[in-house]
Every structure is written in C-alpha cells, then in structure tokens.
Amino acid sequence: MTSARAVPAVRFSEVHKSFAARGKETKALNGVSFAAESGSVTGLVGPDGAGKTTLMRLAAGLLAPDRGEIHVLEMNATGDALAVQAALGYMPQRFGLYEDLTVQENLDLYADLQGVPADQREGSYRELMRMTGLGEFTARLAGRLSGGMKQKLGLACTLVRSPRALILDEPTVGVDPVSRRELWAIIDRLVRDEGLTVLLSTAYLDEAERCSRVVLLHEGEVLGEGSPDSFSSQLRGRTYRLQSGEPGRQVQSRLQGRAEVTDVVVAGGQVRLVLESGSDPRGLREEGVFQPVPPRFEDSFVALLRERRGAPSLPDMQQHTIEVRGDDAVITVRDLTRRFGDFYAVKGLSFSVHRGEVFGLLGANGAGKSTTFRMLCGLLPPSGGTLRVAGVDLRHAAAEARARIGYMSQKFSLYGILSVEQNLDFFARSYGLRRKRRDERIRWALEQFELEALRGSSSDDLSLGHKQRLAMACALMHEPDILFLDEPTSGVDPLARREFWLRINALAEANVTVMVTTHFMEEAEYCDRLAIMAAGEILELGTPDEIKGSVAPQGREPSLEEAFIALIEHQDTER
Amino acid sequence: MLSWLRILALVRKEFLAILKDPKSRFVVIGPPLIQLVVFGYAATFDLNDVSFAVYNQDRGSYSRDLVSAFDGSPTFNKVAVLNADREIAPRVESREVLLVLRIGPRFTDELLKGEPAKVQVIIDGRNSNTAMIALNYARTIIRDFNDRVLAERGAAGAPAELIVRAWYNPNLESRWFIVPGIVGLLTLVVTLLVTALSVAREREQGTFDQLLVTPLRPVEILIGKATPGFLIGLSEAAVVISVALLWFEVPFRSTVLTLYTGLVLFLLSAVGVGLMISSLSVTQQQGLLGAFLFMVPAIILSGFATPIANMPQAVQAVTLVNPLRYFMVILRSTFLEGASFEALIPQFWPMAVIGLTSMALAGWLFRHRMY
Amino acid sequence: MRLRGLMRKEFLQIVRDPSSISIAFVMPVFLLLLFGYGVSLDAEEVPIAVVMEAFGGEAVSFAAEFRHSRYFDAREYVDMREAVTALRAREVDGIIRMQADFAERIGSPGPAPIQLILNGVDANTAELVSGYVQGSWLNWLQHRAEQAGQQLDIPVEVEQRIWFNPEVRSRNFLVPGLVAIIMTLIGALLTALVMAREWERGTMEALLVTPVSMTEILLGKLIPYFILGTGGMLLSVAMAVWLFEVPLRGSFGVLFAAASLFLLVALGMGLLISITARTQFVAGQVAILTTFLPAFILSGFIFDINSMPWFIEGLTYAIAARYFVAILQSVFLAGDIWSVIVPNALALMGMAVLFLGLSRSRSRKRLE
C-alpha cells in the first residue's frame, strides 16, 4: 500500500471557520493547514477551545468552512459530504450512543444505517465483540455501561462497516487509564493489521506520544506539526530533574519566577525543569543537583505556549497564615458510604486530612470522587458512616461553620448571565463581607486572577481558563480555612493548570487545607497525600512516593498512571 | 438570626439574572402582554355579528316588520334570504349561518285575526353556549315585537311582567367578567415562570450547590428566591389592573387596600407553589413541565371561564387547594361588587395557608432533594 | 433498510422512555378528565332565591314553578334583605321577588311586576339564568291561562329547533374541541422534544455522518410518532364517545382521516420548532406557547370566532386547530358535512405541506 501512503488521507489547506453567537463572531479556526497520512494515527492535540472539534466536524462534512479546502480520502469534504461520510467512520464526543438502547440494538441500528448486508453482520459483530470485550454485555442498555465500555461500543459502532478512515473526537475523555490503554491497543491493531487511517483529538498530552504524527492546535491555529519526537527533540538539553532537600512545591514556587526557567513542575517529590534555550543549569546551582532527563511532548507544548504568552506572574494570595496546632485532623471520615438504590457510589471510605495539607482524591469518572465531595460539603446526606469537617458535620452545622470553607464545583459553577465583577460581588456578599472588606477583596481578585480587563463581561462569554480563575476567585473571597476543589483543572490548558497549582502552593504555604479531586494522574504529584479511588472504594492511600512504591518496590520508578493501572488490575485479579 | 445583608445579595443577584438575559426578560414581559390583548379581546361570550338567514313564506307586513327587527339589531346580520325548505339544511350545516328564521305563509293573516302565530327559530347547536345566547337574543327581539303588536291592538297583555335587573353589571358585558379574571391569570403565569425555573436552573448549572455551601440558610435562600418573583408579580399585576381600569374600562368599586391585600396573599401562594415545583425539579425542563402541569388545571378549575358551581362535587373539592380560585372571587368582588374587606376574609386565609405550607415545603426540599 | 432501522430505534426508545408514553397516553386522559369534568357551561340546579313578600295562590303557584324545575334549586325567603345577603355571598345566582302588592295587582288591570335580580358579575351565567327564568315565567302564564279556560294572548310564539344538540349539553361541543387541543399538544410537544433530545445528547451528530439522508431521518421520526399520536387520538375519541357520551354522528373514517391530517400538521410544527430550537428546554417552551394557548383561545373551541374583533379573527386563520375543531364539532354532532369538511381539510393539508416542507428545507446534513 505504498501508493496510498503518498496521498494524505485528510488534507486541510488554509481553512478558516468562525461562528456567530450573541452578535459576536468567534474565530474557531484561523488558516489551518495540515495533512494526515494514510495508514497511521494522527493526533490532534490542544486544550479545550483550541478548535479540535470544529476541525473534526469539518473533516466529517458536518460543517462547511468559510474559506479554504478540505480533502478527505481524495474527496472534497464540503462538496462531496455524502461520499466522504460513506467512506468514513466518525465517533463524536460522548460517543453518539443511544443510551436507552442495548449494546446489540445500537450495533444493529448503525449496521442498518450503514447498509451492512444481513449475511455479513454475524461475522462482523463477532469480530467487534471479541476486539472490544463487550461480548457478555450485548443485552445491557448502553446507558448502564461504564465510560470505558461506552467508548469501546462507540468505536465498534463506527467500525460495523469497515471504514477507510476513522475520525475520533476526544475518545478518551472521562475514561479511566485502564480503558484508555485498551482503546489504544485496539487502535494500534487496526492501523497495523488493516492499514486504517485514524485522526483523533485528545486533551491528554501524554497520548500525543502514541501518535505517529501530531498536530498541535491552539486558539484555532496550528502551532506545530510533526512526529512527537520532532517536537520534543527541539528541547533536547533543556530538561532536567532537580534534586533538592526542600519539598517540591516550595522549590517550584521559587523557581517559576526565574528568567532562565521556562517550566517547572513537581514530579515524584522533586521538580522537573525546562530551561530557556541557552540557559545553563549551573546558574541555578545553589538549588541542588541537576540531572538531565529526556524531554517529553508536554515540555515542548508548554515551551511553545510560553513563547506566545510570556512568563507567568507569581501569585500573591494575600492569605493570612493559619496557625497549626500539632497534628489536628481537619477532615475525618469513617466508613463513609453512599447508596443510590442498590448501587454503591461510595463504599466504606475512611481517611483524615490534616491542617495545611493538600489532599488529592484520584480516580476516573464514576469512581465516587464527586459523591464523596458532596457529602463532605454537606450537600448530600451519607447512607452510613461519620464525617467531620472542621469538627462538625456541615449538613447540620450552623451557617458560621460553612463560612470557613470554600467550594469550587466541577463545572466552575458561575452565574453565566452576571458579569465577572457581579459574580465576585455576589459571593462576597453572600459570605457576609462588609463594604470595605468587599471592595478590597474584589480588587484583589480582579488583580490577582488577571480578570481586570474582563470585569464587565458576562461569565458565560469567558474562555474555560478564565472561568476556572473566576470560579476559584469566588471560592476564595472570604479567605476560607478549608478549600474543596472538584476537578478544578479539567479541560483547561497546561499553562492554566500550572498557574492553578502555583496558587494552591501559595495557599498551602499559609496552611490552608486543600482537598482536591482530579483525573489527571500527573497532578497527583502536587498533593502531599492522595487516595486512589475506583468503584467507590479507596485502593491505596499515601504520599505519591508511597503509592508508587506499593506497586513497584524495586527497579525503575513507575509513573503514577502506571501505578494506578497496576492497582486496578491487581484489584480485578483478586476478584 | 437572619442576615439581611446576605438576603439582599441574593435578591440583587436574582434580579440581575432575570432582567439581564434578554430571553428571560421576554418571558416576563412578552407572554403577559400578548395574553392581555388576546384574552381581553378574544375571550368573550358576548355575541355580535351573528349571521342568520330568513325563509319568509309570508308576504304580509307583519313578517316584514319582524325581519327588519332582526335586521336592525346590532347582534344579528342577515346574510341570506331563502326560498325553499331544502335550502335551510345546507346553510346551517356548512356553518354559513348560525340561525334561520322561518316564517310560515299565514303569519300576517293569523296576527290580523288575533290567532296565535308561530315563528320557527332554527339554531346550529354545535356550540351549545353560543346557541343558547343567540336564542336568548332572538327571544328578546320577538318579545319586544309582541309588546308592539299588543299595544297596537290595545290589549291588556300579560297579567304579570318580568322585570330583569342585573346587579353589578347591568348590561351583562362578559368582558367585565373576563378582564378582572385576566389579572389573576397573568399574575399566576408570570410568577410561576419566574420562580419555577429559579431553583431548577441553579441546580442544573451547579450553582445551587455553591449557594448551599455559603453561610446562607435555607430560610434566607427562600426569602431571596421568593422576593423577585413576588415583586415582579406585584408590578405586573399593577400594570394589568391599570389596563383593565383605563383601557377596558371595567369599574372598580372597592378599596385598593382590599384588592392589594388579596393580591399580596395570592402572590405569596403562587410564589410558594412555584418554588416548590422548582425545588422538586432537577432540570429546567422538569421545572417548566411542572409549572405547566400546575398552571393548566389551576386556570381551568379557578372559575375563570366557567363557573365552579357547574363542576361535579369531587372536582369542586379539588378546587379548594387552588389559590387562583380564591383570588378570582376577590378580583370580581372588588372590581364589580364593591365587597368590603371583612366580607373577603374567607378568601384571604386559605391563600395564606397554601402560601406558607408550600414555602415551608420548598425550603425543606432545598436540602433534602435527593439526586 | 435505513428507514426501518431508524424506526425500530425510535420505537425501542419510546417503549423504554416513560416520558413519551406518558405524553402520548397519560396526558390525554388527564386533560380530558380535567376539561371534560372541569369545564361546563351548563347551569343545572341554579340556586335561586324566591322572595315572597306577598301571600296568596298566585304567588305560591309561581314559586312552585321554580321548585319543580330541573334547572333551579329554589330557596324561599320571606325577607328581601336575607335574599340580598345570600346573593352577595354567592349562595344564590339570582333573586325572584314578588312584592307585597303582587296578589292585589295581578287581580286588577295592568301587569303585576315580578322582579328578577341577577348577579351580573358572571355575565354568561346571568344570561343563561335569565333565559331559564323567562321560560318558567311563560310556562306559568300559560298554565294560569289554561286553568282559567282562557287563551294566553301571545301574538307570536317562538318555536325553537336546536339542531345537532337538542339537549344543549355543553360537553357535546367541548369534548370534541378538546380532542383537537390534546392532539396539538401531543404532536407538537412530543416531536419538538425528541428531535431536540437527539441534538442535546450528541446522537444527531453520529446520525448525520452515516449515509442516511435527511428525509430518512425526518421520516424515521415522523412515522413512529404519527403512530403514537394516532394511538393517543383513538384513546381520546374512545373516551369522548364512551365516557362523556358525546354522539358520533359522522363516520369514523372521516374523523380518522381528518385527525391524521391534523396530526401531520402538529408533527410538522413540532419538527420545525425542534429544528430551530435544538435544546429541549427552548423547544418545550416554544411548543407550549405557540401551540397550546392559541389552540385553547383562538380555535373556536370555547370562544366564538365570529364575535372576535377583526384583527384577532384574522389571527385565527393561522391556527391549525381552528380548522380541526370545525371538522370535529361537525363530524361528532352533525355528521359528514362535506361543505365543512372539504375546505377545512384543504386548509389543514396546506399547513401540513407548509410545515413539513419547511422542516425539510431547513434541516441540512450540517451542524449549522
């Protein structure tokens, strides 16, 4: 199939696309050109709002470009949309499944729609079921499947009539690491055995390294295109691991401001650095021992973004320092259980969090993290067990007890119609802040979270990164002692995530207790301690190092994700 | 201890949220205005322009007089003159005419001889209400005609005469009945639309959790959520009341205090029901459906268009929990009958009870609604 | 095969989703019971006060006329003030008063006055009550004359023929009208919500990239909901005929054909709403505002269209329910009257073509 390789399966040339909403025009794609080669995996990488979904829909003929040309399998995706769609498999976000139909019925529907002859179905179904491991569940409603199973069923539905190319829009969002790995195995096999062309989008930067080519998209523009290695090789010689006696978070906060540092993240209790090109680690000798490490794809992404946006400013959280009295547990949970019907969302959870600690709850969607959170904040009564936050059960506590906590919910819950300033003002007032104090805090929030220029815009119109900042500012208006953050970084770009963690660092310095959930495994590195959850239970509890150690006590140090997968597989074999 | 500072913050935010969004601004202003115009003009039982046909077999002067009496009435409009019996059915069936006046060949003869003459009125009964009203109009015209004939003869006439007086509404204008009712109807619709979505919207967007973790107490949230619906309902009602008085010229015969006491209590109950629906719903869709499912029976069973007394006993019992039922009585009593404050106390207290009960339930549901 | 697949999917979804079933079957029952029992314009056993300030045979016989009438629930009072109190408190709808000199004046020349005082607030009821009282009064005069062996001198007598509904039951015209309102609701709400649901759940996107044509997608929605709507319609008609005992004088075939046509209009409206709105919330709101209220007020279901001012009357021509209500009331009460059915059916057909055509032309195989 060498001849097929010569012609790219998907080709965009100078594609522009904008949308009009509320009388304002938003540019989704701004002169995008790239090519995806036949018989390989091309990854479209970028944060939310980069234009990935628009691009995929354009390729599938679901949208028409304003300008530019799109060719898919040598057909014009705009003019010949029907022909393109007949040759294409497309899986939208959320997989396009009918949740009130069973697995088999979903397959039958798509087979009907794709015009698969009845005599070919038997064999095709058998093959798909074997590949996805869904054979046992054909009679189950799609809505009752786990995220990973839904994703595999969605894939199977697009494969019922062996398409020539596959377009997958964020196939791994909200799926646990084990399922993600299985999906990649399926994709790799399809490409290897059947020479399928795959174009997929992802917000997980580590997945980019599994693609043969990567297109890096940011704010509707292509920042770079090439093999993952070609990205990271640009940074060769600039990435180091720093060993220092101090806790990683403090080192990170200190180094982030330095001119010669492009990026610094906490990893394994130490920090990992990307230096500016031409800088020498010897200039930072006093910090500790520098050890060169191989560059990763994420490093190059962050470096590319930094070039455009400049260095971050260090946060001044203006938090009064809270006194720590020995070993006082701020949050204690004993045998916490929550049942919905006969389904256990949370089963026998026990842990405690100390003052000034950053405590992480890690797990895939549906692991029970949010349910636990809602119970801790008093939003949901537990079915069993006890819990104490700052010595009280918030569900029955007086209003004053609630004034000590801050809560930022999953979807950055803001009043969309209100402006940035009105949101801040409302939360300040509802925490009972008096006029002078209120004005002070609003000024602080606008300045610290760099929202000054946006103070009058509706929060609905903000980008996801700005929404996240505003939501955090709202949760901090009253300087809480304890902060609950539910998936605070989902969907925002790597730079915004770094800024976020710098702010958390600063709060932790002032002994604010922070409890955070996330499904980004690498973020767990920032936590003092963390609990890994799956199916409502805690699999492992400890410092990041302890957790890694529990999986692979000897040999190479595993990443947290690997540890997570090992833990889940271990649990599965025990059953 | 309630914190007025916090409540005020919530009230401010609610107002901003309702009035800043063009869509919800429209919901508050658009439908009420449309309904006011449409109901005010379309919802009337009065008939005018009733089309009728005449089949006059008589050539005498009396029959001509009778026909011209019909012709001269503002209610009736002659659209056809028929010449045969078989022409009647098609005209009525096709709804071309509502009524046919059929006068026999000996009509004038009989009248001149002093024998009883008969005139046939054929009416399309498909809409029985319209039929009855048209028949009454026709009877009135014929009675007047009779009086004239008797006067010509110098006869004594009937030994007893019926003198009809309609109190409060001497011309029996159904607009005087409907328009005050619209005040109640629109107030209910607006208040429900504002409140029924308020909690559900926040639940859907996740901001309700955010509210619950602030120091705001359920009572404070309740007051904060109820106030905007209450104030918007109040101002909307005030506008509709003025339109009823100034544009539709319905008389007002009671004290403003009595009417507004009723209005405030009614708003209390409507806001309570709206908030209860809202806190029961998880999504705005459910809130909307819930509001609709309450609104339709509440309007039908309020006595707005059809009297409660005509309903079966069981249904009448159901109307007792309908706040609009009581407000309808208050509206019509104050507008037309000039009822005193004391006379309406039996209408006041049930609304207060409904309002307080539903509010209490809504407040409880804030925290106890399961997900 | 593609269309069959879509339809099978839709049926499975309907069966598994309790909300469509309840909109199609529970709502009609609920609304029919509510309106059928709750809305009645027939005043029966009107409570009326009879005040006899006079004594004597004449007054007693006149009062008896009301006691024995099935239209009245007569309550006798001696004191006018008590009767007025009762009228004010809405215990009675009217007062019939014979003053102290009644017996005296009826014996002497000139008419003796009988006062009828009505509570005019509810003008419609007052009008009906006044009609009933006049009927009773005439009856009494006639009886009285017969007993005296005389002829009552009424020059012209009215002989009334109320066609199609001789017992003047308001239910007979309200219930068929209700069928139209309910079908508007089912048709429009159901389709508006289900199309919007596909957009919201992202399944429309998956459908659009398959080789399915837009016509097939629309038909795949239309046919199942047409069948479901027909079910709701049959249920309503069955309730109308057997529960509310409305006569069905026309043929069922005509009724069924007209209803099917109207259902197409309603489904078309629903499709159009959902294609434009795309979220269930907005679609639901628009569907209720644009279908239910107009069907209720402007269809001639309860308020007479001819008596509306011209600008409102003009508006009614845009309301599909108007045409269907006309057909329904005729087919139920009068029979297969082609002069009513044909023009209204043509109007419905035009609207069906308009709405379905607009839906088809406004839906593209694109997401924009």
Side-chain angles (χ1 to χ4, degrees), chain C residues 229-297:
Chain C
T230 309
M233 185 266 291
L234 290 177
L235 185 72
S236 314
V237 171
M239 279 179 74
V241 173
W242 285 303
L243 184 64
F244 294 112
E245 296 174 335
V246 178
L248 177 58
R249 301 209 173 93
S251 60
F252 180 73
V254 173
L255 177 64
F256 190 82
S260 305
L261 202 54
F262 179 70
L263 202 54
L264 280 183
V265 181
L267 292 174
M269 276 169 77
L271 277 182
L272 195 60
I273 290 170
S274 65
I275 286 167
T276 324
R278 284 201 187 175
T279 67
Q280 292 193 62
F281 176 62
V282 178
Q285 233 171 357
V286 174
I288 288 175
L289 269 180
T290 56
T291 59
F292 178 71
L293 281 178
F296 190 72
I297 307 154

Side-chain angles (χ1 to χ4, degrees), chain A residues 10 73 83 139 147 183 185 212 223-224 234 236 254 340 382 397 453 471 488 492 513 552:
Chain A
V10 179
L73 301 168
L183 182 88
S212 50
L223 283 192
Q234 293 164 11
R236 196 154 294 142
R254 193 166 59 235
F340 293 102
V492 303
T513 311

Side-chain angles (χ1 to χ4, degrees), chain A residues 157-235:
Chain A
C157 286
T158 60
L159 290 171
V160 279
R161 189 220 32 165
S162 335
R164 287 167 59 199
L166 208 52
I167 295 184
L168 308 174
D169 194 1
E170 305 229 348
T172 52
V173 150
V175 167
D176 66 86
V178 179
S179 301
R180 267 168 66 191
R181 208 174 57 167
E182 285 168 3
L183 182 88
W184 274 100
I186 296 173
I187 292 175
D188 286 343
R189 234 202 27 243
L190 286 170
V191 172
R192 196 179 58 234
D193 298 351
E194 295 172 28
L196 200 65
T197 307
V198 178
L199 176 64
L200 62 80
S201 65
T202 179
Y204 293 100
L205 296 179
D206 54 335
E207 287 187 349
E209 296 181 26
R210 315 183 80 141
C211 305
S212 50
R213 274 178 77 76
V214 173
V215 178
L216 193 56
L217 211 56
H218 183 73
E219 290 175 353
E221 287 174 42
V222 175
L223 283 192
E225 183 188 358
S227 69
D229 282 345
S230 72
F231 279 95
S232 42
S233 64
Q234 293 164 11
L235 294 183

Side-chain angles (χ1 to χ4, degrees), chain A residues 374 395 402 407 415 425, chain B residues 12 202 209-210 214 367:
Chain A
R374 297 175 56 81
R395 195 163 173 76
R402 285 202 296 275
Y407 172 69
Y415 293 100
D425 185 66
Chain B
R12 243 172 67 107
E202 292 215 29
D209 284 356
Q210 206 82 47
T214 65
R367 264 183 186 282

Side-chain angles (χ1 to χ4, degrees), chain A residues 402-451:
Chain A
R402 285 202 296 275
R404 294 179 54 196
I405 67 160
Y407 172 69
M408 175 172 160
S409 74
Q410 221 167 20
K411 291 178 288 184
F412 311 148
S413 307
L414 298 162
Y415 293 100
I417 197 79
L418 302 193
S419 72
V420 168
E421 199 172 7
Q422 285 164 337
N423 264 296
L424 290 170
D425 185 66
F426 168 66
F427 282 106
R429 281 171 196 262
S430 57
Y431 278 102
L433 265 51
R434 300 279 160 185
R435 169 176 285 277
K436 190 163 158 283
R437 185 85 190 108
R438 198 163 67 221
D439 291 346
E440 233 171 76
R441 289 304 281 178
I442 292 175
R443 213 166 35 242
W444 164 82
L446 289 174
E447 196 176 303
Q448 268 308 306
F449 289 84
E450 292 162 48
L451 293 166

Side-chain angles (χ1 to χ4, degrees), chain B residues 50-288:
Chain B
V50 174
S51 47
F52 78 108
V54 178
Y55 176 31
N56 187 359
Q57 291 167 283
D58 179 57
R59 291 180 181 274
S61 60
Y62 275 123
S63 67
R64 273 206 307 278
D65 286 353
L66 183 62
V67 172
S68 56
F70 269 84
D71 244 350
S73 131
T75 319
F76 289 98
N77 176 22
K78 186 169 76 189
V79 295
V81 177
L82 309 181
N83 297 310
D85 264 338
R86 64 187 152 72
E87 286 177 38
I88 296 176
R91 302 268 180 177
V92 177
E93 283 174 349
S94 68
R95 299 198 140 175
E96 199 188 323
V97 298
L98 182 76
L99 180 146
V100 176
L101 198 62
R102 186 172 174 276
I103 303 169
R106 297 194 54 240
F107 185 75
T108 307
D109 276 0
E110 282 166 342
L111 276 179
L112 288 172
K113 287 183 189 152
E115 291 171 18
K118 279 198 172 143
V119 62
Q120 209 175 51
V121 175
I122 298 160
I123 283 196
D124 175 1
R126 270 172 281 191
N127 185 330
S128 63
N129 195 54
T130 308
M132 283 307 274
I133 295 168
L135 188 65
N136 272 357
Y137 289 163
R139 282 171 178 284
T140 312
I141 292 177
I142 292 170
R143 212 178 60 201
D144 291 347
F145 179 80
N146 280 344
D147 287 347
R148 276 211 311 279
V149 174
L150 286 175
E152 270 174 37
R153 292 184 194 165
E161 70 174 339
L162 195 63
I163 301 162
V164 183
R165 291 272 175 282
W167 283 8
Y168 315 126
N169 185 1
N171 297 323
L172 290 182
E173 278 186 55
S174 71
R175 189 162 289 157
W176 284 17
F177 174 65
I178 298 280
V179 170
I182 296 177
V183 177
L185 203 72
L186 293 189
T187 312
L188 180 73
V189 171
V190 170
T191 322
L192 272 186
L193 279 180
V194 171
T195 50
L197 298 182
S198 72
V199 178
R201 189 190 307 121
E202 292 215 29
R203 269 204 217 279
E204 202 174 83
Q205 292 170 354
T207 46
F208 203 65
D209 284 356
Q210 206 82 47
L211 273 190
L212 288 178
V213 297
T214 65
L216 281 163
R217 294 160 207 273
V219 185
E220 292 169 353
I221 298 181
L222 193 71
I223 298 175
K225 288 265 166 202
T227 312
F230 187 85
L231 290 180
I232 289 175
L234 192 66
S235 36
E236 198 107 2
V239 170
V240 181
I241 288 172
S242 337
V243 173
L245 295 177
L246 302 174
W247 182 257
F248 289 107
E249 297 182 332
V250 180
F252 185 77
R253 297 177 176 137
S254 181
T255 61
V256 174
L257 175 74
T258 314
L259 175 61
Y260 275 81
T261 306
L263 178 60
V264 163
L265 287 172
F266 173 67
L267 281 169
L268 189 74
S269 58
V271 166
V273 170
L275 284 178
M276 195 172 74
I277 291 170
S278 201
S279 27
L280 273 172
S281 341
V282 181
T283 61
Q284 296 191 68
Q285 164 117 39
Q286 289 176 5
L288 188 71

